[in-house]
Each structure stands twice: as C-alpha cells, then as structure tokens.
Amino acid sequence: MNAPDTRSEPSLSVAVTQLMKGVVYRDTHAAAWQHLAALQPQVRDYVTVLGLVVVIDESEGYAYLKSRPEDPDLPPVPRLVPRRSLSFHVSLLLALLRRKLAEADASGADPRLVLTRRQIIDMLTVFMPPGPNDARLVDQIDAHLTKVVELGFLRRTKDKEPSFEVRRILKAFVDAQWLADFDSHLAEYAAELTENEEGAA
C-alpha cells in the first residue's frame, strides 16, 4: 500500500522560511502564500517566540515580518529585522513612488504600476543638484534605483525597455502621515535648491 501524498498539506516550515527570506507576495510566491494563508495562527505563534510579528495584507497580496514592539512586561529579544537607515535621495525616491501609486489607485487604473527607467530618472532629476556631468547624475540615480530594488519596493520587469514594477508593500512602509511629513521637508529642500541655483547663476 502506497504512503499518502502529503505534499499538498500546509507546511509551517515552508511558510516561515519564505517569510524569513523577505516579503512573501501572492503573485510571485504562490505556494508559500497558500501555506501561510492556511497556517496563519501557527505562523503568528512561531514568530512571536523570535520577537517578530507577521503582517499579512490579503487585499494587497503580501506578507512580511517586523520586530515586535517593545513591551516592558516581556524580556527583550535580539532584533532579527534590522532597522534600515536610508539616504535622503532613496527616501525621496520612495516618497515619489508612493505618490505615483496613490495617483494610480485614485484613477482606478491597472493595480500594477509599472514605470520605465526613463520616467523614474526624469521624476528624480528635478530634485537632484545640477551638475556639469549628466552621465554621472544618471549613474547616481541608477544606484538609488538598485538600492530600492534590493529593499524590495521595486521589481525589474522583462519589458524590452528597462522598467520597474512598484511593489504594493510600499504602502505599508510609506503611509499618508509619513508622506505628508516628507512633503513638507521636500518643499523646503526644493526651495533651497532653487536658491542655490539662482545664487550660482
């Protein structure tokens, strides 16, 4: 008599391992997403022991781990999810992408937001200090783009023209309040940039 096929049974190890690697997306990690969806209570209990919290957004189709908020009644746990210190221009790019995502959602267009490399360069160039070497400026922007891809907020597409899909998990990390605060700093930065350009003229 053959042993029963258990490959289709939900696996806690598959769900947790994929989460430990990074964000789990319903569209790109279909198998892990199914295991996670079926074992949410078990996954939450498991990662709690590690000082982590699992965040699952079923409407947007992603899940990720974050550090448990500090609780004076609980013993401290070493941080497994590191805090990331982002440069101004990487933060700026995230804010601009988040705004584009909000505009796309408001228009009721395709839920997938895809921007070409050229569109992103044009979007960011406005806020970059002018210089004599345009090629160097583009190289700097490409470096910022690579960092955002590494953070998981952009995904390179297979389109003929270099393009990037804005991952919807960006909404979880850049909320409306963060964006509003950043907008005020951005206005100050833009004014300062204009003053510097006028002074150099």
Side-chain angles (χ1 to χ4, degrees):
M1 183 175 180
N2 294 331
D5 185 357
T6 60
R7 288 176 297 176
S8 60
E9 294 181 1
S11 168
L12 182 62
S13 61
V14 170
V16 174
T17 301
Q18 191 65 54
L19 277 169
M20 289 293 187
K21 291 180 179 179
V23 181
V24 176
Y25 291 102
R26 181 170 51 209
D27 58 351
T28 54
H29 308 103
W33 180 268
Q34 289 179 356
H35 293 298
L36 177 59
L39 298 172
Q40 288 189 37
Q42 294 92 326
V43 171
R44 293 183 194 282
D45 289 344
Y46 187 93
V47 301
T48 295
V49 177
L50 303 175
L52 300 172
V53 176
V54 59
V55 179
I56 303 174
D57 191 319
E58 296 187 9
S59 62
E60 298 287 6
Y62 61 74
Y64 63 95
L65 294 173
K66 67 177 185 178
S67 295
R68 184 188 69 200
E70 293 184 6
D71 187 335
D73 296 328
L74 296 174
V77 178
R79 177 178 289 273
L80 290 177
V81 181
R83 287 195 177 100
R84 298 184 177 99
S85 179
L86 304 179
S87 70
F88 172 80
H89 286 105
V90 169
S91 297
L92 171 61
L93 180 53
L94 291 178
L96 295 174
L97 293 173
R98 176 66 177 87
R99 186 181 296 158
K100 283 286 186 184
L101 197 56
E103 291 171 356
D105 286 348
S107 69
D110 190 328
R112 288 181 71 244
L113 174 60
V114 176
L115 299 172
T116 65
R117 172 177 171 269
R118 184 73 257 171
Q119 286 176 310
I120 296 175
I121 288 174
D122 291 344
M123 189 170 62
L124 201 54
T125 299
V126 178
F127 300 98
M128 300 285 282
N133 192 332
D134 289 341
R136 184 176 180 183
L137 179 63
V138 171
D139 287 344
Q140 290 175 347
I141 294 176
D142 278 333
H144 300 324
L145 267 172
T146 298
K147 179 63 176 178
V148 175
V149 170
E150 291 172 355
L151 291 171
F153 298 121
L154 284 176
R155 180 174 65 175
R156 301 180 193 275
T157 70
K158 296 180 180 180
D159 298 338
K160 186 172 295 185
E161 181 179 4
S163 302
F164 300 84
E165 179 186 353
V166 182
R167 303 300 274 163
R168 300 191 68 81
I169 193 172
L170 183 58
K171 294 176 67 176
F173 285 86
V174 183
D175 60 20
Q177 184 58 53
W178 190 95
L179 198 57
D181 292 343
F182 195 84
D183 278 346
S184 64
H185 295 307
L186 191 58
E188 295 171 4
Y189 176 76
E192 182 180 336
L193 194 61
T194 300
E195 289 176 3
N196 290 341
E197 288 178 0
E198 291 174 349

